[in-house]
Amino acid sequence: MNNQRFSRRDFLRTSAMAAGAMALAACAAPAGAPAGDGGGAAESSIISFWYAWGQLDPALAAFIETDEWNEHMGDVTLEYKGAVAGEAILTAIAGGTPPDAGSNFDYPNLYTRGAVITVQDMAEASDLVSQDRMLDWTWDFAWFGGDMIGVPGIESYVQWGLNYNADAASQVGLDPDAPPKTWSEVMAWHEELTLKDDAGNLLQVGLDPHDAMGGDVDFQTASYGIRWYDEATKTFNLDNERMAELIDTTAEFIRIADPDQFSGMRQTEGNGGWGQAFESGVQHMIIEGYWHPGEAQINKPEIAQHNRASWAPVPDDRADVNLQAVNAHLVQIFKGANNVEGAFKMGEFFNTATACDIIFKEVGWIHPINDFLPMIDGNAFPGLQFYIDSQESANEWYLLRRCPIHWFVKGQWDALRDQVARDDITATEAAETLNTLALEEFEAQGLAG
């Protein structure tokens, strides 16, 4: 579930390179186009849809074979394109040739640049896209700066849990029925699960705390009770003792494995992508979202059969906190779209039980509409039931990725983390530097005012 990562600076750089680039003023307020005003030609009988995921194609192929799709969409042709890189969508936007709709890109970034239209008028007239049909926080995510910036759909369920390989845990003497809850307990498991051969070569690790959702800026700060960005006041809080503590804690996981060997493990083909090291059997814990059980079952059933899930880790002084979060995905409609109505209707279809059931079976993802949630079998994939149950038992909730420079901060954090793990800088210095870089980037992109 890895979102493409690009900052507004990337957007401007790509736009400047494209001939006839669309005007994207740094401080311009995003123009909320009325329903149906995509700025393109007359409505087309084709819907073009691009997305960053590589595994959604089979679900869309199944969509167009259903009677429900044909009844809802009418006489249209869906042209879909998966595994689209961030640079490709930026180039298309800058050149004035975007698809009609896109998903799994940087939603707030595209909105604040005025690259997508708002959809609240269309949603207000829709029987399928409404707050009372889905998890409240999924609906809330679609709103930014007072506008509805896309149609919730595809996958939009709970985001955080500690998944672990119960068989690997048993082999080193750990009790898979008593999973760790705090960072100190997870680190103890990490030490037992991190193994080297007689020559000192790294064979496996317990946890890469920066893999998958574990490495998300929102997760680590929430774990430590830090609100790193305030959406209402547009202020940052990354330079404090608590931040330094969490940076040093996560860096210690890398020190235990050895920074060079840890880096080599992650750079090995098949171990470097989102969640790949767990599926390859080299990493035996991972902080991931609800999609992990289904994706692992589809990709590596021999590993997935041992998967279990529990609460994502927190510091010892927050041991009673059960963390959970929501990060929705959207169907965004681009300015310049040739088929605005068709793109919105496609977004509507993602909010049918038929579409949700197909995506769950083909990809392992959940979009939490009320018609579909009772249909989910929590035993379909090992570990999934925890996520379903967590919706009722979590006692601290978060709405993710609300900062327009989220991915810029994530990239800087990763670089600073490696320096801390190698003891090139202190965690206190890293926290101070991260806050400074965030403020500079925010101001440089005209967001502070």
Side-chain angles (χ1 to χ4, degrees):
M1 305 303 301
N2 191 2
N3 292 66
Q4 294 297 315
R5 303 173 184 177
F6 51 88
S7 71
R8 289 195 188 83
R9 182 171 294 159
D10 296 326
F11 197 116
L12 289 174
R13 181 171 61 247
T14 305
S15 299
M17 291 167 56
M22 57 189 288
L24 298 172
C27 295
D37 182 9
E43 292 291 298
S44 167
S45 62
I46 296 172
I47 302 169
S48 56
F49 178 42
W50 294 4
Y51 42 89
W53 298 293
Q55 66 267 60
L56 186 60
D57 293 11
L60 295 183
F63 278 9
I64 60 180
E65 298 299 324
T66 66
D67 292 337
E68 291 90 338
W69 169 268
N70 293 309
E71 290 170 2
H72 182 74
M73 298 301 299
D75 187 19
V76 298
T77 299
L78 177 62
E79 295 182 349
Y80 55 90
K81 183 178 181 181
V84 176
E87 293 79 5
I89 195 69
L90 291 177
T91 298
I93 294 168
T97 58
D100 296 315
S103 292
N104 197 17
F105 300 112
D106 196 342
Y107 306 114
N109 185 290
L110 294 173
Y111 163 78
T112 55
R113 287 302 174 190
V116 297
I117 69 172
T118 59
V119 300
Q120 55 259 38
D121 292 341
M122 288 182 279
E124 187 174 344
S126 174
D127 293 329
L128 290 172
V129 182
S130 62
Q131 184 172 9
D132 61 2
R133 296 196 67 247
M134 64 187 71
L135 188 67
D136 281 345
W137 283 32
T138 300
W139 175 264
D140 291 345
F141 184 86
W143 293 81
F144 195 89
D147 288 320
M148 191 175 189
I149 66 174
V151 181
I154 307 171
E155 76 89 7
S156 307
Y157 200 42
V158 293
Q159 302 285 296
W160 294 339
L162 177 70
N163 288 257
Y164 59 98
N165 186 313
D167 181 60
S170 296
Q171 289 184 27
V172 296
L174 297 169
D175 183 359
D177 295 324
K181 176 69 190 305
T182 66
W183 281 107
S184 61
E185 292 169 349
V186 172
M187 191 172 296
W189 272 47
H190 173 70
E191 290 181 303
E192 294 298 322
L193 285 164
T194 298
L195 303 179
K196 298 182 178 182
D197 62 20
D198 292 340
N201 299 308
L202 187 66
L203 300 174
Q204 65 178 47
V205 298
L207 174 71
D208 176 357
H210 291 267
D211 190 11
M213 292 304 292
D216 193 271
V217 182
D218 290 337
F219 168 70
Q220 291 196 9
T221 51
S223 173
Y224 273 75
I226 302 166
R227 189 178 199 182
W228 73 275
Y229 173 72
D230 189 309
E231 185 178 354
T233 62
K234 296 183 179 180
T235 55
F236 292 86
N237 178 32
L238 291 162
D239 181 11
N240 56 71
E241 291 182 1
R242 196 70 162 166
M243 275 293 301
E245 180 185 347
L246 87 84
I247 291 172
D248 195 50
T249 297
T250 55
E252 184 62 20
F253 282 80
I254 300 173
R255 295 189 191 106
I256 288 170
D258 180 85
D260 288 334
Q261 295 199 58
F262 185 88
S263 176
M265 180 272 291
R266 293 295 289 170
Q267 291 175 14
T268 299
E269 185 176 356
N271 294 337
W274 184 289
Q276 287 184 332
F278 185 93
E279 292 183 357
S280 70
V282 172
Q283 176 179 310
H284 295 304
M285 293 185 287
I286 187 170
I287 299 167
E288 259 289 40
Y290 80 88
W291 56 83
H292 170 79
E295 289 186 353
Q297 179 65 32
I298 291 168
N299 296 333
K300 285 292 182 70
E302 64 273 23
I303 296 293
Q305 65 178 321
H306 302 300
N307 186 70
R308 297 194 193 179
S310 186
W311 294 108
V314 292
D316 290 348
D317 60 5
R318 282 167 51 82
D320 60 342
V321 173
N322 295 333
L323 291 172
Q324 199 47 278
V326 167
N327 171 44
H329 280 286
L330 310 175
V331 175
Q332 287 192 301
I333 303 174
F334 291 101
K335 284 186 178 177
N338 291 318
N339 195 341
V340 171
E341 180 181 356
F344 183 81
K345 287 175 71 69
M346 180 184 67
E348 284 186 309
F349 188 75
F350 280 120
N351 284 275
T352 65
T354 296
C356 292
D357 190 49
I358 289 173
I359 291 173
F360 180 71
K361 291 174 179 175
E362 293 286 347
V363 196
W365 299 348
I366 295 172
H367 178 50
I369 63 168
N370 298 332
D371 293 350
F372 175 62
L373 286 174
M375 299 168 57
I376 299 171
D377 178 8
N379 296 315
F381 311 121
L384 178 60
Q385 189 63 50
F386 160 77
Y387 290 96
I388 296 173
D389 294 342
S390 75
Q391 186 178 332
E392 299 298 326
S393 50
N395 55 25
E396 196 169 291
W397 282 83
Y398 291 84
L399 189 64
L400 304 187
R401 296 176 185 165
R402 306 298 294 178
C403 179
I405 62 168
H406 178 101
W407 294 112
F408 170 82
V409 174
K410 159 66 174 170
Q412 300 303 312
W413 189 327
D414 285 348
L416 290 165
R417 169 214 66 187
D418 288 343
Q419 294 179 58
V420 174
R422 296 176 183 278
D423 297 316
D424 293 333
I425 61 174
T426 67
T428 299
E429 291 169 335
E432 179 182 3
T433 300
L434 186 61
N435 200 75
T436 298
L437 291 170
L439 289 171
E440 291 176 350
E441 182 73 8
F442 207 65
E443 186 168 345
Q445 294 186 13
L447 298 168

